[in-house]
Amino acid sequence: MSGSVTENALGTFLRDRRMRLDPVSFGFPAGRRRTPGLRREEVAQRANISPTWYTWLEQGRGGAPSAHVLDRIARGLMLTDPERDHLHILAFGHPPEPRYRRHEGITPRLQHVLDAMPFSPAIIRTATWDVVAWNKAAAVILTDYAKLPKERRNILRMMFSDERMRAKQDDWHTVARYVVGAFRADAARAGAGVEIRQLVEELSARSPEFKAMWDDNEITSTREGIKRLHHPALGTVDLEFSTFSVEGRSDLNMMVYSPANSEVREQFRSLISSAC
């Protein structure tokens, strides 16, 4: 790679993305163009910035743009979320501040990943701990979320308002405190300011226990650990769990539970198979 390209990676990336766009699809005349894609002044028009300044930016002499201006350019170039992240990394050396966008559901491909684990309960939850997908094992061992209306598929709502959920926990108070701390960390990381505030206000009004835990300002992580569960058919079982971020979706995490020993594993297989 040449030194000029290395020194102006931002400009190279902008020019590459600009030249991939079809002018006609953006309402610009095709006409005679020396190079494919949009002209620099057309990108500047779409981003509502100076054509001269945008030209300098591509040439590596425009100075560092603000994050707000960079986002306008990203929208003007119709960049995907990963491309926008890369643009910020090139300009500032780090990804952009989290920008939470609530999505409904998941892709069929991600559901296939869940279903490929027939004997390991697995769920997909949002930054505000709404469960948006699960596999058969999760329905049998944890909760049959399909039987719940969407607004009740929130782990915190269940934790603090559902007596059945409380009864399933070996040490409800410790688990609840752990969940509240992890929820705080996840929502802040995803930039879910408005959404977290609404849910916190709702839960604080409903549950003095939640309000006390929230006011303690503890931060925890749910990356991995052991969960002891009281199951109506299996009795008390120990589950190992791990949490994985979903690539390209800062609002989603996958939680996968595995039996902690071979005895529980066989119990899971028998119960889940009989439920199919």
Side-chain angles (χ1 to χ4, degrees):
M1 182 179 292
S2 68
S4 60
V5 173
T6 303
E7 293 167 4
N8 188 28
L10 175 62
T12 300
F13 183 72
L14 289 172
R15 183 168 58 256
D16 177 80
R17 291 307 182 270
R18 171 174 62 82
M19 294 176 67
R20 295 184 183 204
L21 300 178
D22 177 18
V24 176
S25 67
F26 289 94
F28 296 113
R32 293 177 59 86
R33 293 174 179 256
R34 291 181 299 174
T35 58
L38 298 185
R39 298 187 175 103
R40 287 168 175 160
E41 58 267 26
E42 291 168 342
V43 174
Q45 178 183 333
R46 286 180 50 78
N48 193 27
I49 60 177
S50 161
T52 300
W53 187 83
Y54 178 77
T55 298
W56 287 351
L57 189 63
E58 276 200 9
Q59 294 174 345
R61 57 192 182 101
S66 68
H68 177 66
V69 168
L70 208 62
D71 278 339
R72 294 215 307 263
I73 294 173
R75 287 193 294 271
L77 290 170
M78 300 290 289
L79 298 187
T80 64
D81 283 348
E83 288 172 337
R84 171 180 174 265
D85 291 350
H86 186 66
L87 190 66
H88 277 256
I89 291 170
L90 292 177
F92 309 121
H94 58 77
E97 291 297 317
R99 182 180 60 181
Y100 181 74
R101 292 187 299 175
R102 185 166 185 157
H103 296 269
E104 293 294 335
I106 63 169
T107 63
R109 186 170 297 170
L110 194 51
Q111 182 64 55
H112 293 161
V113 173
L114 297 180
D115 295 337
M117 297 179 283
F119 301 112
S120 293
I123 64 172
I124 301 288
R125 59 171 171 77
T126 68
T128 51
W129 287 54
D130 291 311
V131 177
V132 294
W134 56 93
N135 61 8
K136 181 69 175 180
V140 174
I141 302 299
L142 302 177
T143 298
D144 191 349
Y145 297 99
K147 294 182 177 179
L148 300 176
K150 283 187 177 181
E151 65 274 10
R152 288 187 56 201
R153 296 174 191 166
N154 179 275
I155 294 174
L156 282 106
R157 286 193 181 102
M158 296 170 67
M159 180 69 67
F160 288 94
S161 64
D162 190 331
E163 288 301 320
R164 291 171 299 179
M165 172 68 81
R166 183 184 289 253
K168 286 182 178 180
Q169 311 306 317
D170 184 61
D171 182 351
W172 180 88
H173 191 273
T174 298
V175 173
R177 179 176 292 278
Y178 187 75
V179 166
V180 170
F183 159 67
R184 182 194 301 275
D186 282 354
R189 189 180 302 111
V194 174
E195 292 78 10
I196 191 175
R197 185 165 59 250
Q198 293 172 343
L199 185 56
V200 166
E201 289 174 355
E202 172 196 327
L203 293 171
S204 295
R206 287 185 180 184
S207 170
E209 291 169 306
F210 173 84
K211 187 176 187 309
M213 293 179 189
W214 183 257
D215 289 344
D216 282 344
N217 282 297
E218 289 188 7
I219 298 291
T220 56
S221 170
T222 58
R223 293 306 160 198
E224 59 182 23
I226 295 180
K227 178 183 181 68
R228 174 161 289 180
L229 187 70
H230 297 308
H231 192 275
L234 301 178
T236 302
V237 294
D238 288 337
L239 304 176
E240 298 175 341
F241 68 84
S242 298
T243 306
F244 308 90
S245 298
V246 177
E247 182 69 23
R249 291 287 300 272
S250 63
D251 58 317
L252 296 182
N253 283 286
M254 177 186 295
M255 295 191 71
V256 180
Y257 296 85
S258 301
N261 56 62
S262 58
E263 179 183 356
V264 175
R265 185 176 300 109
E266 290 307 312
Q267 291 177 322
F268 273 27
R269 286 179 176 273
S270 177
L271 185 62
I272 295 168
S273 296
S274 65
C276 293

